Amino acid sequence: MSADATLTGVGVGPGDPELLTVKAVRVLREADVVFVPVMAVPVEPTVTAAATTAGADAGRAEATVRSHVAVDRLRRLPFALDDRGGVTARRAAAWDEAARVVVETVDAGARSLAFATIGDPNIYSTFGYLAQSVRALRPGLRVTTVPGVTAMQELAARSGTPLCEGREPLTLLPATAGLALFADALAGPGTVVAYKGWRRHPELLAELRRQGRLPDAVLGRSLGLPGERIGPVDDAEHDLPYLSTLLVPARRDHRGGKL
């Protein structure tokens, strides 16, 4: 039975272990099992996804959670995080396998299960796909989330760049959605934040120049982790990690001008 079991997606922030909320730490420590996502290693079709975790490096969520939870209470779930091109067979198989593991854990007696995800579990998070897959197998399983600090909030704080003022809109988009969406957002009146810009960095850079937004733009890479860099956007960045954040503040000519 799963009616009294709960799966909670816990946002653990962009990398700094001190950015977890008090509630996030409590939920993680009280959970019977804490699942963490890792990159699935391509293997033969006959090998289950769970079997690929032994040699996998700790992901950002796992590295963060280890500061608050004993390692022996963590369990890795492999996902095809590096797949591109929509719902690939490998990606779908990883979702299904992860959901199966969660359900088996509940059947084995666990009642409080947590899934640690970087940032917030409701913003571009793997947790949403896991939750859907688990619900399909066990509709009675309760699913909740604990919000987390996002990379755009951390970058805004660290760079001293207000995200929104007055009537300004805020547009958050993945660079993987294409350059047209980014260009349209830049042409608008508000702040633009782009995630996942590593492969498209030259295109984003060119568009920033074209629209005269380059001088104010801020780039954050590996926030809260070794190798962190926060600063202006330039041509020198050729090895951006997948989880890099580009912040382009709204045009502001005087204090309170958007009120």
Side-chain angles (χ1 to χ4, degrees), residues 16-112:
D16 184 348
E18 293 186 344
L19 288 181
L20 271 73
T21 65
V22 174
K23 183 173 184 178
V25 173
R26 177 182 61 79
V27 170
L28 291 171
R29 288 178 174 172
E30 291 179 354
D32 297 323
V33 179
V34 178
F35 294 106
V36 291
V38 294
M39 186 81 72
V41 179
V43 294
E44 295 299 321
T46 55
V47 180
T48 64
T52 69
T53 61
D57 294 329
R60 185 178 296 199
E62 179 179 346
T64 302
V65 171
R66 283 185 177 186
S67 296
H68 303 280
V69 179
V71 176
D72 61 3
R73 294 185 50 242
L74 305 183
R75 184 166 182 183
R76 292 178 170 184
L77 290 180
F79 292 92
L81 302 174
D82 56 341
D83 268 21
R84 291 182 289 168
V87 183
T88 64
R90 179 168 168 259
R91 177 170 281 161
W95 293 341
D96 291 341
E97 174 70 4
R100 184 190 64 77
V101 171
V102 170
V103 169
E104 285 185 349
T105 304
V106 171
D107 290 343
R111 287 296 167 263
S112 176

